[in-house]
Amino acid sequence: MFKKAVIVVVALALIVGFAGCAPAAEETPKVEQVLTYNVGAEPQFFDPRKATGIPEFTMLLNLFDGLMRYDIQGQLVLSMAESYDVSDDGLVWTFHLRDAKWSNGEPVTAYDFEYSWKTALAPKTESEYAYQMYYLKNGAAYNSGDITDPDLVGVKALDDKTLVATLEAPTVYFTSLLTFTTYLPINKKLDMENPDWAKSADNFISNGPFTITKWEHNHQIEMVKNSNYWDADKVKLDKIVFLMVEESSTELMMFENGEIDFGNNPPLPEMDRLKSEGILTISPYLGTYYYMCNVTEPPFDNVLVRKAFAAAIDRESIVTNVTKGGQLPATAFVPGGIPDAAPGAEFRDVGGTYFEPYEPEKAKQYLAEAGYPNGEGFPEFVLLYNTSEGHKIIAEAIQGMWKDTLGVTCTLTNQEWKVYLDNRSKLNYQIARAGWIGDYTDPMTFIDMWVTDGGNNDTGWSNLDYDNFVAIAKGTGDQAVRMKAMHDAEDILMDEMPIIPIYFYTNLNLIKPYLKDYYISALGYTDFKLAYIEEH
Amino acid sequence: MKKYIINRIFSMILVLVVVSSLTFFLAKAIPGGPFTKEKKVPDVILQRLEEKYHFDDPLWKQYVSYMGNLLKGDLGPSFRYDALTVNDIIAKGFPVSATIGFLAVLLSIILGLPAGIISAYRQNFWQDNTVMFASLIGISVPSFILATAFMYFFGLKFKILPIAGWGGFRYMILPAITLAAYPTAYIARLTRSSMLDVLSQDYIKTARSKGLSEFKVITMHALKNAILPVVTYMGPMIAAIFTGSFIIERLFFIPGLGKYYVTAIYDRDYTVILGTTIFYAFFLVTANFIVDILYAFLDPRITYAEKK
């Protein structure tokens, strides 16, 4: 592979006769700077305002540049914004933009941002992720059609370089939200002339490290370095090829054969081998794998039953023997990796653990208190999961743990993905698996799920104190108050246990050792702005 | 003959209408929809999407409008792929699938037919046993096992061919061979049994007693009759293979049409489910029609003329 690349480079150099070859900078590596990344799926939407999936995020964040960006250490840094000021009440954010160009050479202005944000919220755009912008004043009202004047939405360009965002409530993590695809800028002129620009590579204009050159649907997307990017000096990769290989065994073989440098889908049966060969890269992932209970019906309407079932799960055994990907036993709902109020503190460390990873004696005690000593008289029940080998082996393991520890009998049922989602939301289940990946780096992305009648609260659980704590946290910009309220909320959630945390997810990747300086976000996407390929 | 053809065309249209109607209502009957996601789309946005695609209309109304567009040749938008219409998906995917399909069909005839003839001619000799054993493997080993083995040996171990992907003839070899395994084996067995049948008949004895060479007897006289069941099988086989195989295209990472037959159902991508199904049905009835016409040429006893 490498030899061939050299031959091609030499041949090309001979053909063009070394014309226009500037002396290479010293730090520029000599190997071909082409990365092949398996993104695994054709994007659903390639317009940043509408994108919803992690594969799209990875591609879009390499194509575009928002006001803020995460660096390779995971620190939030200024990107399109040169600086910003926040009003004392935390509601008005003024961003000062740097000099930057679109890939076609036109300047990126605050008007582009204003236009993007407003159209992302516009009902006719039909963005499924528009709610990520409900933080903006009147964002929700404009999106739902209650108001029709876009000028009432809390975003305004004062001039080419100044963008003012006005929020509904103080939102401390607003800068973190700004890295989200929905807040990326699009080229206003392009979008007005050609609303379908994001459907092919032909007219695509972006403002990030790379720009798109080829898009073969359901096969691959090619990007090349964007020479007009404001920070282009730091971008080392010349080209990224995003393949859409869906089959994990094919991905692994292509990876081992050097046809892929970076894969996302290591097959579970190969986990042990991949770990022992050092091919598997494990990194933090902001997500929780849990079982949820339908609390509107017996037997899971009884909190003691739920606690018994939670305590009877041996989480250590599941992560070591079943999932095998470095996952952590979850002894709370909010995963690690989210900052708390005090500088340097983590929300998870401050909140601590709510129970031990495995408490069989307590489990028996809870069940006896609930009126089912040794599981006597406990009705047979059904555990629901969506059809997948991974969920199946976890469910089988837990079924066994419940049987051994509590003496209860459980039947496993699997349903096709959307049938399962449908039944979940209709509370057509007794106990079911679920997973949640955070949208942004703040506990709120996990905490506000469980408010009464929340869109993603598929348990039927409702607790007014909990709702109050969430409201307190959402209504203030004071980090100490916010974090305290969210810890209080999590206390209630873990005491009432409508959901049973099982493990915290990890990002599992196959990455060639010669690829350096990429950034895998705990939110699931990968940034190649600074990445390069080392000589090998 | 003319009248027969006109009748056949009418019945083909009827079949397509029935298939598309059934598929329409079946697809709509599955729980969940294209906007069902784990991170729930807020109600207000969901409502707007459903209005836009008229999911809130009564089912008969949706059906009428779909059929109306179908007549105009418009198969509608895809819900899963914002950048593609169903017409795009078929226009891009079908040529890819058909290329591999063509190679696979060619391979299965070139290998299967002679293998079947030799097998019948040398019945119960080692040639026969070898062909029968090989065809047993071809029929019974699942294609994903074959595919994985090929990828491992030819790609990873010996580095003769690329493991997977699409970009020229080298990429077509392994998928075409994998895809050809089952039909090759099936054609070999089919040819063998019908050949055995024909070889025991009187007219073959006559041909032999006239002093014709064995080669001529087999190819000129026996094969012409023995090939009828093979031709029958070719119709549906070509339709199935040309429209793409989900497993082969997924494993070999080929941007064909095959994947959509399965993924569209998972995605509740109603228009893609319908479009691909109608396309396949159209292919199938056309292939069968051509087979029936071929009969008349192959076997003079078959005629589609009106009985006087």
Side-chain angles (χ1 to χ4, degrees):
Chain A
M1 182 76 215
F2 170 50
K3 252 193 202 143
K4 214 157 130 196
V6 171
I7 292 167
V8 170
V9 171
V10 172
L12 279 176
L14 288 174
I15 292 164
V16 299
F18 294 100
C21 271
E26 266 176 49
E27 71 271 14
T28 313
K30 292 181 187 63
V31 281
E32 196 185 31
Q33 293 298 310
V34 177
L35 166 73
T36 307
Y37 175 93
N38 183 29
V39 73
E42 164 86 3
Q44 179 174 14
F45 297 105
F46 217 52
D47 181 331
R49 296 167 300 176
K50 298 177 81 172
T52 61
I54 286 170
E56 285 93 326
F57 288 11
T58 290
M59 291 189 274
L60 291 169
L61 289 161
N62 287 295
L63 284 168
F64 289 88
D65 199 17
L67 294 169
M68 309 291 289
R69 205 175 178 102
Y70 282 102
D71 67 9
I72 44 176
Q73 277 80 37
Q75 296 301 310
L76 194 58
V77 293
L78 293 160
S79 205
M80 285 300 294
E82 210 157 29
S83 65
Y84 65 89
D85 331 297
V86 193
S87 64
D88 292 341
D89 59 7
L91 292 174
V92 184
W93 297 62
T94 309
F95 296 93
H96 306 283
L97 273 57
R98 69 172 67 250
D99 286 323
K101 287 181 185 154
W102 290 101
S103 51
N104 66 349
E106 291 169 8
V108 184
T109 69
Y111 298 101
D112 287 317
F113 275 93
E114 182 191 3
Y115 175 85
S116 313
W117 292 11
K118 281 182 177 172
T119 48
L121 279 166
K124 71 170 175 50
T125 306
E126 285 151 355
S127 168
E128 292 172 26
Y129 247 162
Y131 65 89
Q132 295 291 350
M133 309 190 89
Y134 286 4
Y135 300 91
L136 297 175
K137 191 163 184 57
N138 288 325
Y142 179 57
N143 183 243
S144 61
D146 293 347
I147 58 167
T148 53
D149 182 2
D151 289 342
L152 297 174
V153 177
V155 55
K156 185 143 188 55
L158 298 187
D159 56 46
D160 278 5
K161 287 283 163 57
T162 319
L163 183 76
V164 178
T166 313
L167 309 188
E168 282 281 348
T171 310
V172 183
Y173 52 95
F174 188 59
T175 43
S176 154
L177 284 170
L178 291 173
T179 61
F180 206 83
T181 43
T182 327
Y183 287 90
L184 292 172
I186 58 160
N187 186 298
K188 179 178 176 178
K189 197 166 129 224
L190 168 73
D191 190 65
M192 290 178 86
E193 284 169 6
N194 176 9
D196 288 339
W197 61 274
K199 293 186 180 182
S200 76
D202 305 344
N203 308 304
F204 211 93
I205 300 175
S206 62
N207 73 323
F210 300 93
T211 182
I212 185 169
T213 45
K214 195 156 92 181
W215 182 0
E216 294 170 10
H217 294 287
N218 271 302
H219 196 58
Q220 61 178 38
I221 282 180
E222 272 183 22
M223 295 181 194
V224 296
K225 182 177 167 172
N226 173 12
S227 54
N228 279 319
Y229 182 45
W230 67 267
D231 211 9
D233 298 347
K234 294 208 184 80
V235 180
K236 301 193 186 93
L237 286 175
D238 292 323
K239 186 165 151 186
I240 311 179
V241 181
F242 290 87
L243 297 182
M244 300 162 195
V245 182
E246 289 179 20
E247 180 62 42
S248 61
S249 60
T250 304
E251 179 193 85
L252 178 59
M253 264 197 250
M254 290 174 82
F255 177 83
E256 292 183 310
N257 206 32
E259 294 173 46
I260 286 177
D261 301 313
F262 194 127
N264 278 305
N265 199 1
L268 196 62
E270 301 269 11
M271 237 20 131
D272 291 332
R273 174 173 77 88
L274 298 176
K275 262 194 297 202
S276 67
E277 291 179 12
I279 294 175
L280 192 70
T281 308
I282 299 173
S283 50
Y285 198 9
L286 212 54
T288 308
Y289 189 102
Y290 60 95
Y291 277 3
M292 55 183 188
C293 307
N294 177 356
V295 303
T296 63
E297 282 176 13
F300 295 105
D301 56 346
N302 183 340
V303 63
L304 290 164
V305 169
R306 301 199 292 264
K307 285 189 154 173
F309 275 70
I313 296 174
D314 183 352
R315 293 168 181 76
E316 284 288 357
S317 161
I318 287 175
V319 298
T320 8
N321 305 321
V322 184
T323 58
K324 299 179 182 177
Q327 292 87 351
L328 297 167
T331 48
F333 182 60
V334 180
I338 303 177
D340 204 287
E346 265 204 19
F347 184 86
R348 185 67 282 134
D349 297 340
V350 174
T353 56
Y354 287 95
F355 45 86
E356 291 305 307
Y358 181 43
E359 300 168 318
E361 292 315 312
K362 265 195 181 168
K364 290 182 179 132
Q365 200 185 321
Y366 283 134
L367 200 64
E369 283 173 33
Y372 307 104
N374 302 322
E376 286 158 29
F378 198 86
E380 285 200 12
F381 63 98
V382 176
L383 166 61
L384 170 69
Y385 60 94
N386 56 292
T387 313
S388 123
E389 197 50 40
H391 301 323
K392 182 174 160 218
I393 49 179
I394 293 168
E396 284 168 347
I398 289 177
Q399 177 189 33
M401 291 167 190
W402 285 340
K403 178 95 197 149
D404 297 344
T405 309
L406 302 173
V408 298
T409 308
C410 139
T411 321
L412 303 183
T413 295
N414 71 87
Q415 290 171 348
E416 184 267 355
W417 177 239
K418 292 203 175 189
V419 176
Y420 144 91
L421 287 178
D422 196 55
N423 279 322
R424 242 176 72 167
S425 58
K426 290 178 179 153
L427 293 183
N428 266 337
Y429 74 94
Q430 289 178 285
I431 192 161
R433 82 134 293 255
W436 186 259
I437 309 295
D439 280 331
Y440 47 91
T441 318
D442 190 86
M444 191 51 89
T445 189
F446 288 88
I447 294 290
D448 71 359
M449 284 176 74
W450 306 109
V451 297
T452 304
D453 296 328
N456 289 301
N457 180 352
D458 285 341
T459 60
W461 182 72
S462 158
N463 181 301
L464 293 181
D465 292 337
Y466 187 91
D467 297 356
N468 266 335
F469 285 127
V470 173
I472 290 168
K474 286 197 165 186
T476 172
D478 183 334
Q479 275 292 48
V481 177
R482 285 185 70 242
M483 291 296 167
K484 167 98 181 54
M486 287 192 281
H487 283 300
D488 292 341
E490 197 182 21
D491 292 348
I492 296 173
L493 187 71
M494 288 294 98
D495 184 49
E496 294 252 328
M497 283 241 165
I499 49 159
I500 299 171
I502 296 172
Y503 65 77
F504 295 132
Y505 281 99
T506 45
N507 255 318
L508 299 173
N509 298 102
L510 303 164
I511 306 172
K512 291 287 185 197
Y514 48 71
L515 182 69
K516 303 288 175 196
D517 287 0
Y518 50 85
Y519 166 62
I520 301 178
S521 158
L523 300 173
Y525 62 82
T526 312
D527 188 349
F528 295 112
K529 172 177 166 171
L530 303 176
Y532 66 93
I533 292 171
E534 212 176 40
E535 295 218 35
H536 54 277
Chain B
M1 189 74 174
K2 205 165 170 185
K3 196 158 181 189
Y4 169 79
I5 290 177
I6 290 168
N7 278 342
R8 274 299 295 261
I9 288 173
F10 269 110
S11 69
M12 277 158 63
I13 291 169
L14 186 69
V15 167
L16 288 179
V17 169
V18 171
V19 166
S20 48
S21 309
L22 272 175
T23 313
F24 181 89
F25 292 107
L26 279 172
K28 290 275 178 183
I30 326 172
F35 314 120
T36 310
K37 299 197 173 169
E38 180 153 36
K39 290 197 170 166
K40 289 219 185 61
V41 180
D43 287 346
V44 71
I45 298 171
L46 194 64
Q47 246 170 343
R48 194 170 311 119
L49 286 164
E50 297 198 327
E51 274 165 31
K52 177 181 172 179
Y53 295 111
H54 304 290
F55 288 179
D56 49 350
D57 286 356
L59 214 49
W60 66 267
K61 216 169 165 179
Q62 295 182 47
Y63 172 73
V64 169
S65 99
Y66 180 82
M67 288 310 230
N69 288 333
L70 187 61
L71 282 178
K72 290 180 227 154
D74 175 11
L75 296 166
S78 159
F79 299 105
R80 163 63 181 84
Y81 306 105
D82 184 51
L84 299 168
T85 64
V86 184
N87 295 55
D88 287 339
I89 285 175
I90 293 173
K92 286 188 166 77
F94 177 63
V96 173
S97 294
T99 308
I100 302 176
F102 173 76
L103 288 173
V105 169
L106 204 64
L107 214 57
S108 66
I109 294 171
I110 291 172
L111 295 173
L113 215 52
I117 294 169
I118 291 167
S119 202
Y121 193 70
R122 305 283 297 161
Q123 200 190 353
N124 297 330
F125 284 87
W126 66 267
Q127 292 94 330
D128 182 26
N129 294 337
T130 312
V131 169
M132 283 302 98
F133 178 74
S135 70
L136 191 69
I137 302 266
I139 281 176
S140 53
V141 176
S143 57
F144 64 88
I145 306 254
L146 280 181
T148 313
F150 284 156
M151 285 154 89
Y152 179 75
F153 286 110
F154 294 102
L156 200 56
K157 226 172 159 58
F158 303 126
K159 311 242 186 266
I160 304 169
L161 290 166
I163 286 178
W166 189 247
F169 186 69
R170 295 175 63 239
Y171 288 90
M172 300 176 193
I173 300 167
L174 293 182
I177 295 173
T178 315
L179 194 54
Y182 183 89
T184 305
Y186 199 88
I187 285 176
R189 295 180 91 92
L190 213 53
T191 310
R192 176 181 181 268
S193 62
S194 66
M195 208 63 187
L196 285 174
D197 193 34
V198 170
L199 286 176
S200 64
Q201 282 179 15
D202 290 347
Y203 79 96
I204 298 290
K205 290 196 183 90
T206 314
R208 281 183 179 148
S209 58
K210 275 160 89 186
L212 285 177
S213 72
E214 266 312 277
F215 184 74
K216 267 206 167 129
V217 170
I218 300 273
T219 51
M220 308 278 291
H221 295 263
L223 192 59
K224 200 174 166 184
N225 283 322
I227 205 165
L228 274 179
V230 178
V231 172
T232 312
Y233 167 65
M234 294 284 286
M237 171 186 92
I238 286 180
I241 284 186
F242 272 56
T243 48
S245 144
F246 169 72
I247 292 173
I248 303 262
E249 288 176 12
R250 187 183 160 97
L251 280 164
F252 285 108
F253 178 44
I254 293 165
L257 194 59
K259 78 173 252 181
Y260 298 99
Y261 287 90
V262 178
T263 54
I265 299 170
Y266 287 133
D267 295 330
R268 304 293 187 273
D269 201 343
Y270 302 131
T271 44
V272 178
I273 298 173
L274 276 158
T276 49
T277 307
I278 292 167
F279 182 74
Y280 172 62
F282 172 77
F283 220 94
L284 186 62
V285 293
T286 310
N288 279 334
F289 176 57
I290 291 168
V291 165
D292 288 351
I293 299 291
L294 272 179
Y295 275 177
F297 288 101
L298 285 169
D299 188 344
R301 288 170 304 181
I302 296 173
T303 168
Y304 299 119
E306 296 286 295
K307 293 236 169 12
K308 291 280 184 312

